[in-house]
Amino acid sequence: DDLSREIARRQSISAARPSVEDVVNWWRENNGRLEACDNIKEGFDLIEVPKAGDKSITARHVGQCSLAALHLGANTDRLARLLDLLPEKENHDMVVSYQTAAKSDKPRFSDPLQMAVVSPRDGISLQAEYIRVQLPVVAPDNTKLIVSYCF
C-alpha cells in the first residue's frame, strides 16, 4: 500500500543521509577542501558566499538527501523560488549568517530554527525545527562556498 511504500522510501533516504558528525569529520579531514565527498555530498547543500548587497542566498547544489530536498522538495531552482517568498528580515539574517560563516575557520551551528513547511507530497502544513551547520569550503576551482547541513 501507499503507506508502506512511503515508510520504505523514507527509511532508504535516512540510511543514505550522513550524520552531522560524518559531515563535520569529513570537513576536518579535508581541511575545508571540497573533495573526497562523493559518499556524503547528497546530504548537504552548497551555498555561494553572498556578496555585499545580496538580498538572498544562492544554492549551487541541493543534495538529494538534504533537509531542503526532503522537506521542501527543493532543487536549486525551487529553493531560489522558496527563498524569494521569505520575509525580507529572514533573508537578510540568512545572508549575514552565510557571510559570517565564510569568514570562519570553525563549523558554525545555529540556534534551533523554525520554519513552516508544506509537504510537497501531500500538501500538509507542518512546523519544522532544525539546526543548521555551516562549513566554509574551497572548491577544486578555488571558489569559496558554504556547506549547509541541517538536522
Side-chain angles (χ1 to χ4, degrees), residues 60-76:
R60 171 146 329 160
H61 166 80
V62 174
Q64 294 176 0
C65 299
S66 75
L67 214 60
L70 295 176
H71 295 283
L72 302 174
N75 56 34
T76 53

Side-chain angles (χ1 to χ4, degrees), residues 5-96:
R5 277 194 297 278
E6 181 63 12
I7 290 170
R9 185 188 73 78
R10 287 180 184 237
Q11 286 174 335
S12 171
I13 289 170
S14 292
R17 187 169 154 75
S19 69
V20 65
E21 292 87 1
D22 294 335
V23 175
V24 172
N25 287 338
W26 157 81
W27 179 77
R28 286 189 175 128
E29 289 167 8
N30 289 282
N31 298 310
R33 304 247 358 130
L34 186 61
E35 54 192 30
C37 59
D38 288 345
N39 60 331
I40 63 168
K41 71 180 178 185
E42 294 306 327
F44 58 72
D45 305 323
L46 282 172
I47 308 300
E48 295 179 8
V49 176
K51 298 172 190 62
D54 281 357
K55 302 286 186 209
S56 184
I57 62 168
T58 301
R60 171 146 329 160
H61 166 80
V62 174
Q64 294 176 0
C65 299
S66 75
L67 214 60
L70 295 176
H71 295 283
L72 302 174
N75 56 34
T76 53
D77 293 334
R78 181 169 165 76
L79 185 57
R81 288 192 305 273
L82 291 169
L83 290 170
D84 285 344
L85 299 174
L86 289 178
E88 188 175 324
K89 180 175 178 355
E90 283 185 45
N91 261 319
H92 172 75
D93 291 350
M94 200 176 302
V95 165
V96 170

